[in-house]
Amino acid sequence: MELLKPEATLLSLGDRVLSFDREGRLYHYFRQGMTYKRALDGSLHLRHREGVRRRRRLAPEEALGVYREALALAEAHLRDAVRRREVLRWTPEALLDPGPYQRAYAWPISILPPDAYLAVVLQATTGCTWNRCTFCSFYQDRPFQKRSPKAFAEHVERVRELLGRGMLLRRGVFLADGNALALSEPLLPLLEIVQRAFPGEPVLGFLDLFSGLKKEASWWEGLRALGLRRVYVGLETGHAPLLALLGKPGHPREVVALVGALKRAGVAVGVILLVGAGGKPFAEAHFRDSLALLAELPLDRGDLVYLSPFQEDPSTPYAALGLEPLPEVEAELKAWAGALRRLGLRAGRYDIREFLY
C-alpha cells in the first residue's frame, strides 16, 4: 500500500515500511524489527533491540545493499507515476554519496535536542565559544568561528539546494553550532537572512548560561521579533561543585535570572540536565540541588526539561577523574522524571546516541 503525503511517500508492505522525502530520497526503512535511518550525508544507521537497544552505522557496502533493496521494492510496488519518478531517479550510489552534504556543511552537525531533529540546521557559527567543558567532545575537531552575513547567506543557499523538496519534512530552523546565540550584534543580520529564506519558521538554538546572563530581556525580545522561539540551556546540574567539575563557568543559580529574562521576552526554554554526571559520589547532591533549582524557575507547559543519560567519553578530561559511575542510570532517569512530573514540569529524554541529522 502506498500513502502519498505532501511531505513524503510511504510504502507499506506487510512487515516492511519505506519512507521517502519529496526529493525521492529514502530516509526511513523498517524491516522485520530493524529500523534503518538515512542521514543527509548519505550514511545509513541501524537501530534494533537485542534485549537492549543497539545502534550502529553501516559500512558503505552494507549500506549500498540496503539501498538497492529499498529501491527494488519501490520499483516493484510504487504505482503513482510522479512519486515513482521521484524515487527511481536515485541510484544506491547517489544515496550514499556525501558530496552534496559536504558542500552545504563545512563541519558535521554534532548534536541537536530531540524536538529539533527535523529542524533545518544552519551553521551561523562553527564550534563552541567555550569548548572547555571536561565532558564534551562535540566540537574538539573545529575552531570557533562566526560567519559573516555574506558567508552565511551562501551557506543558507547550499543548505536549501541540499534539502530541495525534502524541506517539506522539516520543522523550524536550528542555529548551530554549540553556542551561536552567544553572538551579540552580529547575530541580527543572520536572523534577518533566516527570515527571508525560511519565512514563518521558528528559530531555535543552544545558549550557555554565562553568555546568556549578559543579555537583558529587551535583547531577547528583539530576537523574538526576528523569529527566535526556543532556547536550550545546558544547565547540566544544579549542584555548584559538580558544575565546576564539569568545566562550566558560573554558578547554577544564575539560570534563574536567564530563564526569567527569556520568559519575559516570550521565548520558550529547554533546560538540559546530565543524569549520572558525577557518578555515585555526586548522585545525591546532583539530584537534590537540581530539583530544588528547577522548582524556582518560571517554567510553564511550553517549556521542556531534558534528562540526558550521561555518556562518558574516554577521550575527555572527565574520564581521567575516575569517578565511579551509577550502576543503574535508567533507574535514575525514572526517578528524575517522576520528580519533575510532581513539580508539574514537562520532562523528556535526550539520549545523544539517538541523534541523526
Side-chain angles (χ1 to χ4, degrees):
M1 179 183 72
E2 59 187 39
L3 179 59
L4 309 179
K5 296 184 176 183
E7 71 277 12
T9 302
L10 277 63
L11 195 58
S12 180
L13 306 170
D15 60 358
R16 302 182 185 215
V17 180
L18 302 95
S19 303
F20 305 86
D21 70 12
R22 291 306 309 277
E23 281 293 298
R25 293 171 293 208
L26 179 76
Y27 68 89
H28 186 276
Y29 178 22
F30 177 81
R31 180 184 69 184
Q32 300 172 328
M34 315 284 272
T35 299
Y36 298 90
K37 295 183 177 181
R38 179 186 180 273
L40 283 173
D41 65 1
S43 61
L44 192 63
H45 302 254
L46 174 61
R47 307 286 194 262
H48 64 107
R49 285 194 176 275
E50 293 177 1
V52 297
R53 188 162 174 79
R54 305 289 186 185
R55 313 164 181 85
R56 68 181 178 92
R57 176 174 174 162
L58 273 62
E61 281 304 316
E62 191 177 2
L64 281 172
V66 176
Y67 289 151
R68 290 189 190 101
E69 178 182 313
L71 291 172
L73 288 169
E75 185 173 20
H77 298 282
L78 195 55
R79 299 288 175 246
D80 182 86
V82 172
R83 303 301 177 95
R84 185 180 172 85
R85 282 196 300 272
E86 287 177 1
V87 171
L88 296 182
R89 69 188 182 91
W90 291 89
T91 64
E93 291 75 16
L95 288 173
L96 188 66
D97 180 15
Y101 177 86
Q102 292 168 348
R103 286 190 288 274
Y105 292 101
W107 297 95
I109 306 304
S110 295
I111 193 66
L112 294 177
D115 62 312
Y117 281 179
L118 286 177
V120 177
V121 179
L122 300 176
Q123 289 176 314
T125 64
T126 59
C128 175
T129 55
W130 179 246
N131 210 19
R132 280 174 273 175
C133 295
T134 60
F135 63 93
C136 180
S137 60
F138 289 140
Y139 307 109
Q140 299 302 318
D141 60 346
R142 69 200 75 172
F144 176 78
Q145 294 178 321
K146 57 186 178 182
R147 277 195 163 105
S148 68
K150 181 178 183 296
F152 184 66
E154 292 171 352
H155 166 61
V156 168
E157 285 309 305
R158 289 194 295 269
V159 171
R160 285 164 58 91
E161 290 170 7
L162 170 68
L163 292 174
R165 297 191 70 202
M167 177 61 202
L168 293 168
L169 275 173
R170 302 285 156 175
R171 300 291 181 270
V173 172
F174 196 96
L175 276 190
D177 266 338
N179 198 21
L181 293 177
L183 297 179
S184 294
E185 297 301 321
L187 184 61
L188 302 181
L190 306 188
L191 285 173
E192 291 170 355
I193 291 169
V194 173
Q195 274 198 323
R196 291 193 295 271
F198 302 96
E201 291 292 335
V203 178
L204 323 166
F206 287 124
L207 178 69
D208 63 63
L209 180 58
F210 57 94
S211 293
L213 200 63
K214 300 173 184 177
K215 311 295 187 189
E216 301 293 334
S218 58
W219 169 255
W220 301 115
E221 288 169 1
L223 296 194
R224 191 183 190 286
L226 290 171
L228 183 65
R229 291 295 180 268
R230 189 184 298 279
V231 169
Y232 301 87
V233 179
L235 175 59
E236 323 306 359
T237 179
H239 184 55
L242 177 56
L243 191 70
L245 186 77
L246 295 175
K248 304 204 85 166
H251 192 281
R253 289 201 56 80
E254 293 171 341
V255 77
V256 178
L258 173 57
V259 170
L262 290 166
K263 296 301 296 179
R264 287 193 298 276
V267 176
V269 177
V271 179
I272 303 166
L273 293 160
L274 294 178
V275 177
K280 289 183 70 174
F282 286 90
E284 183 179 346
H286 181 21
F287 179 82
R288 180 194 64 232
D289 291 356
S290 297
L291 270 291
L293 186 54
L294 287 172
E296 293 186 48
L297 301 182
L299 302 175
D300 56 40
R301 297 302 295 172
D303 302 311
L304 293 163
V305 178
Y306 270 128
L307 303 177
S308 184
F310 183 66
Q311 305 295 321
E312 183 177 307
D313 186 327
S315 70
T316 61
Y318 177 94
L321 298 174
L323 297 171
E324 183 181 357
L326 292 180
E328 294 289 343
V329 174
E330 291 302 318
E332 190 77 0
L333 282 165
K334 289 181 182 177
W336 281 67
L340 288 173
R341 285 193 292 270
R342 288 191 290 275
L343 288 174
L345 300 175
R346 292 174 61 205
R349 183 186 179 95
Y350 184 174
D351 193 328
I352 61 173
R353 296 169 295 182
E354 295 298 319
F355 170 66
L356 195 65
Y357 180 59

